[in-house]
Amino acid sequence: MASHRRPKQPSRSRVTALTAFAAAAVALSSQSAMAAPDKPNKDEVKAKVDALYGEAEQATEKFDGAKDRQDKLEKEIAQLQDQVARGQLELNDMRNTLGSMASAQYRTGGIDQSLTLLLSNDPQSYLDKASTLQQLSGKQIETIGRIQAKQRSLAQQRQEAAGKLADLDATRKELGEQKKAAQDKLAAAQAQLNTLSAQDRAQLQDEETKADKSAAQSAGKVKGSGRAGAALAAAATQEGKGYHMGSTGPDLYDCSGLTQWAYAQAGVSISRTTFTQVNDGTRIGRSQLQPGDLVFFFDDLHHVGLYAGNGQVLHASHPGPTGGVKYEPMDDMPFQFGVRVG
């Protein structure tokens, strides 16, 4: 016979414990969900990595520009310092000549001692005195005039050198900043790749390798002519070599380093960065492209390659593990315009 005894009600302390346990379970479940978001898939990671490589290239081209300015400034400063040193020697010789003339005349009593004042660093104030001028020969006045001109020239050169030294200091600072920016972007790209499994990374690399081979086969049948064709042929010999910030060959390249090197092999000198290479020839549209023309990509023009025909570009692609000198469809990047050099 069933019992009609009322079931025992849980105590208040038991209810409180159960409630607290349930709340804790919900909180832990919520935290777990927040701590373990959906892992990005292979295509999402590739998109992020490609964007980071692009940002690294932007910094690389700015680095190249700063490096180019640094090299030029160092040469200009060295030339100015050499000019100042030689000018000072010439000034000393002129002063010695004037001193010898003055000494000879003083010994014979033909000139006042005040002439020695003209041998100071600033003889102009004494030249203004008519009594002194009246006692100088035409040759002495000519020598003093040359001394004054040389002093002015040296002062200008020293001032110019000081300005260039200040520019050099600022350029070196920019160089370090752009190098760090590029390295930070590359580190971020590698961190993104590391979120993928080894299988996904291998699959990405396999896909890119197949695409590169297809692009190379499509472009390989095209032959250029003239200096542009010679530049393209030279670049083709570098296929497979790696990408490295600031490098212009012959073992490693960045994008503008490759194009500069390739045209140099064709006997043509072009400037160092994408931002200046855009002005090294005549701008043309896509329908006008011929093999070897420079082709520029992205809104800020931070990437350049050589048109390889059949809609392909030969370029130092990016600094990642699948980058380096290779062929790639132009449609993989936002094309802006071409430049025909010469």
Side-chain angles (χ1 to χ4, degrees):
M1 182 168 122
S3 171
H4 295 283
R5 182 184 298 176
R6 295 179 60 188
K8 186 177 180 182
Q9 296 297 318
S11 66
R12 177 173 295 182
S13 61
R14 178 177 171 81
V15 169
T16 301
L18 289 171
T19 302
F21 177 80
V26 170
L28 285 172
S29 175
S30 175
Q31 290 176 2
S32 177
M34 290 177 63
D38 292 337
K39 195 173 182 180
N41 63 39
K42 175 170 60 69
D43 293 333
E44 291 172 337
V45 169
K46 184 180 185 305
K48 291 179 181 178
V49 168
D50 287 345
L52 287 165
Y53 284 156
E55 292 171 9
E57 271 205 299
Q58 289 174 337
T60 292
E61 287 304 309
K62 292 176 182 177
F63 170 90
D64 289 343
K67 183 68 170 65
D68 196 41
R69 287 196 302 277
Q70 175 183 270
D71 293 344
K72 289 177 180 177
L73 281 168
E74 286 176 343
K75 290 179 182 177
E76 291 170 1
I77 289 168
Q79 289 172 352
L80 277 170
Q81 289 174 335
D82 182 60
Q83 289 173 10
V84 168
R86 285 187 284 108
Q88 188 63 54
L89 288 175
E90 292 173 10
L91 179 60
N92 293 342
D93 287 342
M94 285 188 282
R95 282 177 174 163
N96 290 336
T97 299
L98 184 60
S100 298
M101 294 165 63
S103 296
Q105 290 183 342
Y106 178 66
R107 284 194 300 271
T108 61
I111 192 168
D112 190 86
Q113 294 185 43
S114 61
L115 179 59
T116 59
L117 296 175
L118 296 170
L119 305 179
S120 66
N121 287 334
D122 184 17
Q124 179 59 48
S125 60
Y126 303 106
L127 276 176
D128 292 337
K129 295 181 179 180
S131 60
T132 301
L133 282 171
Q134 290 171 359
Q135 299 179 68
L136 301 179
S137 69
K139 188 173 183 181
Q140 288 169 332
I141 293 175
E142 180 184 350
T143 301
I144 292 171
R146 287 168 51 213
I147 288 175
Q148 290 177 304
K150 179 59 68 176
Q151 286 176 324
R152 288 193 296 269
S153 175
L154 286 174
Q156 290 173 352
Q157 289 173 342
R158 288 190 176 104
Q159 185 176 10
E160 185 179 355
K164 288 184 182 296
L165 283 168
D167 289 344
L168 179 60
D169 185 60
T171 297
R172 284 174 172 162
K173 182 179 179 182
E174 181 189 354
L175 198 64
E177 290 171 350
Q178 296 302 337
K179 182 176 183 179
K180 184 179 185 304
Q183 290 172 335
D184 288 348
K185 296 299 181 183
L186 291 179
Q190 187 58 55
Q192 286 289 330
L193 287 173
N194 290 344
T195 65
L196 295 175
S197 66
Q199 181 179 356
D200 281 345
R201 287 198 298 271
Q203 187 176 354
L204 271 179
Q205 186 163 353
D206 184 57
E207 290 172 357
E208 192 160 346
T209 299
K210 287 180 180 178
D212 294 345
K213 287 182 179 178
S214 176
Q217 290 172 354
S218 178
K221 301 175 183 178
V222 177
K223 302 297 179 184
S225 61
R227 291 181 295 183
L232 177 61
T237 65
Q238 305 304 293
E239 185 183 4
K241 291 191 175 180
Y243 183 108
H244 185 266
M245 177 177 62
S247 293
T248 57
D251 299 315
L252 298 167
Y253 300 89
D254 60 25
C255 68
S256 56
L258 174 66
T259 51
Q260 185 186 52
W261 178 89
Y263 266 92
Q265 309 318 299
V268 181
S269 176
I270 63 174
S271 54
R272 177 62 186 91
T273 73
T274 61
F275 309 126
T276 54
Q277 289 180 7
V278 295
N279 299 316
D280 286 339
T282 304
R283 296 189 184 189
I284 54 177
R286 184 162 181 164
S287 63
Q288 300 170 284
L289 291 175
Q290 296 177 5
D293 285 337
L294 298 176
V295 282
F296 293 86
F297 301 90
F298 300 98
D299 291 343
D300 65 351
L301 307 175
H302 71 259
H303 190 73
V304 65
L306 295 162
Y307 182 61
N310 291 333
Q312 310 299 316
V313 58
L314 176 58
H315 62 155
S317 57
H318 61 74
T322 57
V325 181
K326 64 179 183 178
Y327 293 91
E328 190 172 348
M330 285 178 58
D331 290 338
D332 284 0
M333 299 173 287
F335 172 76
Q336 301 300 309
F337 54 79
V339 166
R340 183 155 298 150
V341 177

